[in-house]
Amino acid sequence: MRILLIEDEPEMASVLKTALERQDIIVDHAATLADAEAVARLGYHDAVVLDRRLPDGDGLSLIPRLRALHLDVPVIALTALSGLDDRVAGLDAGADDYMVKPFATVELVARLNALHRRSFTTRANQTVVGRLTYDFRHREALVEDQALELPRRERLVLETLIRRPGRTIMRGALEEAVYALDDEIGSNALDAHISRLRRKLDDVAAGIEIRAIRNLGYLLRAAS
Protein backbone atom coordinates (compact mmCIF):
# COMPACT_ATOMS: atom_id res chain seq x y z
CA MET A 1 0.00 0.00 0.00
CA ARG A 2 1.16 3.54 -0.77
CA ILE A 3 -0.45 6.50 0.99
CA LEU A 4 -0.27 10.27 0.90
CA LEU A 5 0.08 11.73 4.41
CA ILE A 6 -0.91 15.40 4.68
CA GLU A 7 0.22 16.74 8.05
CA ASP A 8 1.92 20.06 8.82
CA GLU A 9 3.25 19.21 12.30
CA PRO A 10 6.76 17.78 11.70
CA GLU A 11 6.82 15.65 14.85
CA MET A 12 3.40 14.11 14.20
CA ALA A 13 4.28 13.50 10.55
CA SER A 14 7.55 11.80 11.52
CA VAL A 15 5.86 9.55 14.10
CA LEU A 16 3.11 8.50 11.68
CA LYS A 17 5.50 7.96 8.77
CA THR A 18 7.77 5.74 10.88
CA ALA A 19 4.87 3.71 12.29
CA LEU A 20 3.26 3.18 8.89
CA GLU A 21 6.51 2.23 7.17
CA ARG A 22 7.04 -0.44 9.81
CA GLN A 23 3.83 -1.99 8.47
CA ASP A 24 5.22 -2.04 4.90
CA ILE A 25 3.22 1.03 3.89
CA ILE A 26 5.02 3.47 1.58
CA VAL A 27 4.38 7.03 2.77
CA ASP A 28 4.63 10.23 0.72
CA HIS A 29 4.36 13.32 2.92
CA ALA A 30 3.03 16.81 2.18
CA ALA A 31 2.67 19.64 4.70
CA THR A 32 0.32 21.95 2.77
CA LEU A 33 -2.77 21.67 0.59
CA ALA A 34 -0.87 23.02 -2.41
CA ASP A 35 1.88 20.42 -2.12
CA ALA A 36 -0.63 17.67 -1.41
CA GLU A 37 -2.65 18.40 -4.54
CA ALA A 38 0.50 18.41 -6.67
CA VAL A 39 1.56 15.01 -5.31
CA ALA A 40 -1.96 13.54 -5.45
CA ARG A 41 -2.20 14.39 -9.16
CA LEU A 42 0.46 11.76 -9.82
CA GLY A 43 -2.17 9.12 -9.03
CA TYR A 44 0.18 6.84 -7.10
CA HIS A 45 -1.77 6.39 -3.89
CA ASP A 46 -4.06 3.77 -2.40
CA ALA A 47 -5.29 6.11 0.35
CA VAL A 48 -4.94 9.67 1.66
CA VAL A 49 -4.58 10.54 5.34
CA LEU A 50 -5.12 14.26 5.86
CA ASP A 51 -5.12 16.68 8.77
CA ARG A 52 -7.89 19.26 8.74
CA ARG A 53 -5.91 22.20 10.09
CA LEU A 54 -3.27 23.03 7.51
CA PRO A 55 -1.38 26.29 6.93
CA ASP A 56 -3.23 27.07 3.70
CA GLY A 57 -6.72 25.89 4.61
CA ASP A 58 -9.01 23.11 5.79
CA GLY A 59 -7.77 19.71 4.65
CA LEU A 60 -11.33 18.74 3.74
CA SER A 61 -11.22 21.21 0.86
CA LEU A 62 -8.82 18.86 -0.93
CA ILE A 63 -11.41 16.10 -1.25
CA PRO A 64 -13.62 17.74 -3.92
CA ARG A 65 -10.47 18.70 -5.83
CA LEU A 66 -9.40 15.05 -5.87
CA ARG A 67 -12.82 13.96 -7.09
CA ALA A 68 -12.73 16.62 -9.83
CA LEU A 69 -9.49 15.01 -11.01
CA HIS A 70 -11.29 11.61 -11.05
CA LEU A 71 -9.12 10.37 -8.20
CA ASP A 72 -11.39 8.08 -6.18
CA VAL A 73 -8.73 7.30 -3.59
CA PRO A 74 -10.20 6.72 -0.08
CA VAL A 75 -9.56 9.48 2.48
CA ILE A 76 -9.13 9.33 6.26
CA ALA A 77 -9.44 12.73 7.95
CA LEU A 78 -7.43 13.41 11.12
CA THR A 79 -8.41 16.24 13.43
CA ALA A 80 -8.46 17.61 16.95
CA LEU A 81 -12.04 18.75 16.25
CA SER A 82 -14.07 16.15 18.11
CA GLY A 83 -17.58 17.59 18.04
CA LEU A 84 -20.41 15.72 16.35
CA ASP A 85 -20.90 18.54 13.85
CA ASP A 86 -17.20 18.39 12.93
CA ARG A 87 -17.32 14.64 12.38
CA VAL A 88 -20.46 14.93 10.27
CA ALA A 89 -18.90 17.75 8.24
CA GLY A 90 -15.87 15.58 7.54
CA LEU A 91 -17.94 12.66 6.31
CA ASP A 92 -20.27 14.92 4.32
CA ALA A 93 -17.23 16.46 2.62
CA GLY A 94 -16.39 13.02 1.23
CA ALA A 95 -14.01 11.53 3.79
CA ASP A 96 -14.32 7.75 4.04
CA ASP A 97 -13.28 7.72 7.69
CA TYR A 98 -12.62 10.24 10.47
CA MET A 99 -10.22 9.95 13.41
CA VAL A 100 -9.94 12.35 16.34
CA LYS A 101 -6.50 13.21 17.77
CA PRO A 102 -4.94 11.78 19.82
CA PHE A 103 -5.30 8.28 18.41
CA ALA A 104 -3.33 5.04 18.41
CA THR A 105 -1.28 4.46 15.27
CA VAL A 106 -2.27 0.78 15.34
CA GLU A 107 -5.88 1.88 14.86
CA LEU A 108 -4.91 4.07 11.90
CA VAL A 109 -3.08 1.11 10.34
CA ALA A 110 -6.14 -1.10 10.90
CA ARG A 111 -8.43 1.45 9.27
CA LEU A 112 -6.10 1.86 6.30
CA ASN A 113 -5.98 -1.91 5.85
CA ALA A 114 -9.78 -2.08 5.98
CA LEU A 115 -10.08 0.57 3.26
CA HIS A 116 -7.41 -1.17 1.19
CA ARG A 117 -9.21 -4.52 1.42
CA ARG A 118 -12.31 -2.96 -0.13
CA SER A 119 -10.31 -2.17 -3.26
CA PHE A 120 -9.89 -5.90 -3.87
CA THR A 121 -13.60 -6.50 -4.39
CA THR A 122 -13.13 -6.04 -8.14
CA ARG A 123 -9.64 -7.56 -8.40
CA ALA A 124 -8.37 -11.11 -8.43
CA ASN A 125 -6.88 -11.79 -5.01
CA GLN A 126 -4.22 -14.16 -6.32
CA THR A 127 -2.02 -14.55 -9.36
CA VAL A 128 -0.19 -17.77 -10.22
CA VAL A 129 2.94 -17.76 -12.39
CA GLY A 130 5.11 -20.85 -12.66
CA ARG A 131 5.04 -22.57 -9.26
CA LEU A 132 4.55 -19.30 -7.38
CA THR A 133 1.25 -17.96 -6.10
CA TYR A 134 1.08 -14.33 -5.03
CA ASP A 135 -1.71 -13.53 -2.57
CA PHE A 136 -2.46 -9.80 -2.88
CA ARG A 137 -4.84 -9.70 0.06
CA HIS A 138 -2.25 -11.08 2.49
CA ARG A 139 0.73 -9.75 0.50
CA GLU A 140 2.39 -13.13 0.55
CA ALA A 141 4.37 -15.17 -2.00
CA LEU A 142 3.87 -18.94 -1.82
CA VAL A 143 5.67 -21.81 -3.54
CA GLU A 144 3.85 -25.11 -3.07
CA ASP A 145 2.00 -23.53 -0.10
CA GLN A 146 5.29 -22.55 1.57
CA ALA A 147 5.70 -18.83 2.28
CA LEU A 148 8.70 -17.18 0.64
CA GLU A 149 10.27 -14.71 3.06
CA LEU A 150 11.16 -11.48 1.28
CA PRO A 151 12.30 -8.08 2.54
CA ARG A 152 9.77 -5.31 1.96
CA ARG A 153 11.27 -3.80 -1.17
CA GLU A 154 11.92 -7.12 -2.87
CA ARG A 155 8.31 -8.09 -2.14
CA LEU A 156 7.09 -4.79 -3.60
CA VAL A 157 9.10 -5.44 -6.77
CA LEU A 158 7.58 -8.91 -7.07
CA GLU A 159 4.09 -7.62 -6.36
CA THR A 160 4.38 -4.94 -9.04
CA LEU A 161 5.77 -7.28 -11.70
CA ILE A 162 3.36 -10.14 -11.03
CA ARG A 163 0.32 -7.89 -11.41
CA ARG A 164 1.09 -7.91 -15.16
CA PRO A 165 2.88 -11.17 -15.99
CA GLY A 166 4.35 -11.28 -19.44
CA ARG A 167 4.28 -7.49 -19.82
CA THR A 168 7.14 -5.02 -19.53
CA ILE A 169 6.94 -2.80 -16.46
CA MET A 170 8.81 0.44 -16.97
CA ARG A 171 11.69 1.15 -14.64
CA GLY A 172 10.06 4.36 -13.47
CA ALA A 173 6.84 2.56 -12.56
CA LEU A 174 8.80 0.03 -10.50
CA GLU A 175 10.66 2.77 -8.66
CA GLU A 176 7.36 4.55 -7.95
CA ALA A 177 5.94 1.34 -6.46
CA VAL A 178 8.96 0.62 -4.28
CA TYR A 179 10.20 4.00 -3.07
CA ALA A 180 8.59 7.03 -1.45
CA LEU A 181 9.05 10.38 -3.19
CA ASP A 182 11.60 11.59 -0.64
CA ASP A 183 13.67 8.38 -0.63
CA GLU A 184 17.19 8.70 -1.95
CA ILE A 185 17.50 6.13 -4.75
CA GLY A 186 20.93 4.95 -5.84
CA SER A 187 21.46 4.50 -9.57
CA ASN A 188 21.54 0.70 -9.29
CA ALA A 189 19.36 0.23 -6.20
CA LEU A 190 16.42 -1.25 -8.13
CA ASP A 191 18.72 -3.59 -10.05
CA ALA A 192 20.19 -4.83 -6.76
CA HIS A 193 16.72 -5.61 -5.37
CA ILE A 194 15.81 -7.49 -8.54
CA SER A 195 19.08 -9.45 -8.53
CA ARG A 196 18.45 -10.63 -4.95
CA LEU A 197 14.83 -11.44 -5.77
CA ARG A 198 15.90 -13.54 -8.76
CA ARG A 199 18.29 -15.56 -6.58
CA LYS A 200 15.60 -16.26 -4.00
CA LEU A 201 13.11 -17.33 -6.66
CA ASP A 202 15.73 -19.64 -8.19
CA ASP A 203 16.61 -21.09 -4.78
CA VAL A 204 13.03 -22.34 -4.30
CA ALA A 205 12.56 -23.35 -7.96
CA ALA A 206 9.63 -20.94 -8.34
CA GLY A 207 9.56 -21.45 -12.10
CA ILE A 208 9.73 -17.71 -12.77
CA GLU A 209 12.15 -15.59 -14.71
CA ILE A 210 12.57 -11.82 -14.51
CA ARG A 211 14.01 -10.42 -17.73
CA ALA A 212 15.61 -7.03 -18.14
CA ILE A 213 14.21 -5.23 -21.18
CA ARG A 214 16.97 -2.93 -22.35
CA ASN A 215 16.37 0.79 -21.79
CA LEU A 216 12.79 0.09 -20.66
CA GLY A 217 12.33 -1.98 -17.53
CA TYR A 218 11.63 -5.56 -16.48
CA LEU A 219 9.28 -8.39 -17.39
CA LEU A 220 8.19 -11.34 -15.22
CA ARG A 221 6.99 -14.59 -16.81
CA ALA A 222 6.94 -18.33 -16.26
CA ALA A 223 10.30 -19.91 -16.94
CA SER A 224 10.45 -21.76 -20.25
Side-chain angles (χ1 to χ4, degrees):
M1 193 192 322
R2 183 180 192 136
I3 74 156
L4 173 57
L5 171 65
I6 308 166
E7 170 61 66
D8 65 314
E9 296 179 16
E11 185 175 350
M12 171 66 82
S14 178
V15 168
L16 290 176
K17 193 171 190 295
T18 299
L20 293 169
E21 287 178 341
R22 284 177 180 158
Q23 300 299 316
D24 289 347
I25 297 172
I26 296 174
V27 180
D28 295 321
H29 172 238
T32 66
L33 283 170
D35 288 347
E37 183 171 356
V39 175
R41 283 175 177 269
L42 299 173
Y44 294 161
H45 303 99
D46 299 300
V48 172
V49 176
L50 63 82
D51 188 20
R52 285 198 57 178
R53 291 181 171 175
L54 295 168
D56 50 349
D58 187 336
L60 294 180
S61 67
L62 179 65
I63 300 175
R65 295 185 222 171
L66 296 179
R67 304 308 179 226
L69 294 168
H70 305 289
L71 295 172
D72 294 325
V73 58
V75 175
I76 297 179
L78 308 178
T79 183
L81 303 172
S82 59
L84 176 61
D85 289 345
D86 296 312
R87 298 197 301 274
V88 170
L91 296 171
D92 283 348
D96 297 88
D97 205 346
Y98 196 96
M99 296 185 69
V100 177
K101 297 178 180 178
F103 55 85
T105 54
V106 291
E107 182 180 0
L108 175 59
V109 170
R111 294 190 185 209
L112 281 168
N113 285 333
L115 288 175
H116 193 49
R117 281 195 297 272
R118 294 179 198 170
S119 70
F120 285 98
T121 56
T122 58
R123 300 186 207 169
N125 290 332
Q126 294 184 341
T127 295
V128 179
V129 180
R131 296 177 61 243
L132 184 138
T133 299
Y134 194 85
D135 185 327
F136 290 99
R137 183 179 294 275
H138 298 103
R139 310 194 73 182
E140 187 175 47
L142 304 166
V143 177
E144 301 296 321
D145 295 325
Q146 295 297 311
L148 178 61
E149 296 297 329
L150 295 172
R152 179 171 67 94
R153 284 178 170 158
E154 289 173 30
R155 181 172 49 72
L156 290 170
V157 168
L158 175 61
E159 184 173 289
T160 305
L161 289 170
I162 207 167
R163 284 187 186 280
R164 296 181 178 181
R167 297 177 61 181
T168 300
I169 307 300
M170 303 299 285
R171 185 182 189 87
L174 280 165
E175 290 178 342
E176 289 164 7
V178 174
Y179 303 103
L181 293 177
D182 56 355
D183 284 343
E184 293 185 9
I185 308 172
S187 59
N188 66 342
L190 179 64
D191 305 297
H193 292 313
I194 290 176
S195 178
R196 289 192 290 270
L197 175 60
R198 280 181 176 137
R199 286 198 300 270
K200 289 172 183 174
L201 293 172
D202 288 344
D203 287 346
V204 295
I208 286 177
E209 64 177 350
I210 299 174
R211 290 188 57 202
I213 308 301
R214 186 169 179 156
N215 297 325
L216 291 175
Y218 288 90
L219 175 152
L220 178 147
R221 68 183 184 185
S224 53

